[in-house]
Amino acid sequence: MILYIDPGTGSMLFTILIGVLGTALYFLRNVFMKLKYVLSGGKTEKAAAEKMPYVIFTDHKRYWNVFEPICDEFEKRKTPLVYMTESKDDPVFDKDYKYIEARHIGEGNMAFAKLNVLNASIVLSTTPSLDVYQWKRSKDVDYYIHIPHAASDISIYRMFGIDYYDAILLSGDYQVDQIRKLEELRGLPAKEIELVGIPYMDVMKTRLARAEEIESKDVAKTPERRTVLLAPSWGKSGILSRYGERFIDALIDTGYKIIIRPHPQSYTSEKDMLDSLMSKYSDTTKVEWNRDNDNFEVLRKSDILISDFSGVIFDFTLVFDKPVIYADTSFDKAPYDAAWIDDELWTFKVLPKLGMQLGEDNIDNIKSVIDECIEDTKYQKGRDEARQETWCYMGEGTTRVVDYIINKYSEIKDTGR
């Protein structure tokens, strides 16, 4: 007889197992530390010195653009920092840092087992679901800080994604309002919120200013030379899940260069669907599939972006100052924190100011929609308004983030926390 365990129960049992292992590791480490204390004659200086002041944790190399400017600033200030990543080929390992120590800590539950017994003062991460699933708060970490990886709604995280962080670094007042509403509805203590800006977008803006133009503006506007980038989010509300082959066929029929850049999570969560599409549309003369870790060049050379509710919309419009087409995917708020908030998401309020909507009625006429959206000048004003609402302290993001982290560390030390 074969014993069957449903996926939900299996996940729960696995989480319990990881919790038990983490507790065991924590216990053994404490025993080891006490032994060191006895052998050193009761001196605690060494033990205290092993507590890392600053740690960055990332669950994937794709977030290197978020953390690189922060690491560079720590390096510039000659301030030691430990960078923990789940990716063996994380770009951090290619950097010639003197003060940044990069560590590959394994993947998935192996990484979480280490994080759950981490001994550090401050941990900065863009990873959600702290203290919700396998990643538990370590008893030896003083302060957890979250930084988003996109300039959009902070409530478009899977349920309870940021509830148990101590502080959140944001870039717009509307994000602050969303967090405060979630805290009120869930009876959570108020987190510390700091408006700092968006370091990675500041860097992209600087890179763009220095980059040579790919083509002159006149050539770029020539219809036969246009490049269309399709970069959707993942999940049932995403473009590829909703429209799939029909939409890709319509794009190919435009005769424009088509680049498809799936959300990285699609390669895991929607593997079967994505494998099928990539297999069918494998002719590189018609479709180019892009998986670059750094999206700067693909955004720079594209004339228009087609997306849904992905944060890349704001990278493209606000940094590269180009229009978008956003798909009507009937966004389902149910899996997200946004489901708790009655207000319309900021993303969907601002999208009509940034470009044109794509729906069932105009998919087959996508070429005309693309041409009109690129040639209409009215979306410039919308982009300017969106920058004001979601990108505070433009050009100052990195300095403000690192200042906040270092000041928080000093505060923790002063209070003996």
Side-chain angles (χ1 to χ4, degrees), residues 90-343:
D90 196 298
V92 69
F93 295 112
D94 297 326
K95 300 280 286 192
D96 187 24
Y97 286 132
K98 293 182 180 178
Y99 296 91
I100 311 300
E101 179 190 348
R103 299 181 186 177
H104 175 240
I105 59 171
E107 300 176 5
N109 291 301
M110 180 183 294
F112 293 138
K114 295 176 182 178
L115 292 168
N116 294 350
V117 293
L118 190 63
N119 187 17
S121 186
I122 290 177
V123 174
L124 174 71
S125 182
T126 191
T127 305
S129 298
L130 171 66
D131 229 22
V132 177
Y133 296 115
Q134 286 92 336
W135 185 21
K136 305 300 181 184
R137 290 179 63 106
S138 169
K139 296 178 182 178
D140 290 324
V141 170
D142 298 316
Y143 212 71
Y144 287 92
I145 303 172
H146 180 80
I147 184 169
H149 61 265
S152 57
D153 297 88
I154 195 67
S155 61
I156 311 185
Y157 277 118
R158 296 282 161 162
M159 204 78 75
F160 315 114
I162 53 173
D163 280 2
Y164 303 110
Y165 275 93
D166 299 297
I168 313 287
L169 306 181
L170 298 176
S171 62
D173 289 330
Y174 71 94
Q175 297 168 330
V176 178
D177 294 340
Q178 290 176 351
I179 287 180
R180 294 306 184 213
K181 286 180 181 178
L182 288 170
E183 289 171 342
E184 181 181 355
L185 288 167
R186 295 172 179 170
L188 297 169
K191 301 171 191 62
E192 187 162 299
I193 295 176
E194 185 82 0
L195 289 173
V196 294
I198 313 171
Y200 82 88
M201 283 179 61
D202 291 340
V203 171
M204 293 178 80
K205 187 173 183 294
T206 300
R207 289 176 67 183
L208 183 62
R210 294 174 179 170
E212 295 180 358
E213 292 187 358
I214 298 174
E215 298 170 320
S216 70
K217 292 182 179 179
D218 289 339
V219 174
K221 286 185 178 180
T222 302
E224 60 268 20
R225 298 297 301 276
R226 283 177 175 157
T227 298
V228 180
L229 174 63
L230 173 60
S233 189
W234 66 282
K236 293 182 179 180
S237 295
I239 291 176
L240 292 179
S241 294
R242 183 72 183 274
Y243 297 122
E245 295 179 10
R246 176 190 171 193
F247 190 52
I248 297 175
D249 287 337
L251 288 175
I252 292 173
D253 287 344
T254 65
Y256 296 151
K257 180 176 181 179
I258 307 301
I259 303 174
I260 304 179
R261 181 180 170 86
H263 190 284
Q265 189 62 36
S266 291
Y267 290 96
T268 300
S269 300
E270 303 172 309
K271 187 177 185 304
D272 291 342
M273 178 269 290
L274 198 55
D275 285 347
S276 176
L277 290 176
M278 292 177 71
S279 176
K280 179 172 181 178
Y281 299 98
S282 58
D283 185 346
T284 56
T285 64
K286 295 181 178 180
V287 173
E288 174 186 326
W289 293 87
N290 180 274
R291 202 174 178 177
D292 295 344
N293 191 61
D294 182 357
N295 66 2
F296 179 82
E297 282 302 328
V298 72
L299 294 179
R300 187 168 79 99
K301 69 184 181 182
S302 299
D303 296 301
I304 193 165
L305 169 72
I306 301 177
S307 191
D308 33 52
F309 53 93
S310 173
V312 74
I313 286 173
F314 302 104
D315 296 353
F316 189 77
T317 57
L318 306 187
V319 176
F320 296 88
D321 207 32
K322 298 174 184 178
V324 297
I325 295 172
Y326 58 96
D328 175 14
T329 59
S330 301
F331 179 73
D332 179 11
K333 296 199 301 184
Y336 306 97
D337 280 330
W340 289 64
I341 302 174
D342 292 332
D343 297 343

Side-chain angles (χ1 to χ4, degrees), residues 5-55:
I5 300 177
D6 67 87
T9 303
S11 177
M12 179 183 69
L13 293 174
F14 199 68
T15 299
I16 293 171
L17 176 61
I18 291 301
V20 171
L21 289 174
T23 302
L25 286 171
Y26 180 80
F27 172 76
L28 291 173
R29 194 190 66 189
N30 278 349
V31 171
F32 178 68
M33 294 299 292
K34 289 177 182 178
L35 181 60
K36 286 179 68 176
Y37 176 82
V38 172
L39 294 177
S40 66
K43 294 181 180 179
T44 60
E45 289 84 356
K46 245 184 186 178
E50 290 183 356
K51 191 177 187 74
M52 293 173 281
Y54 309 104
V55 170

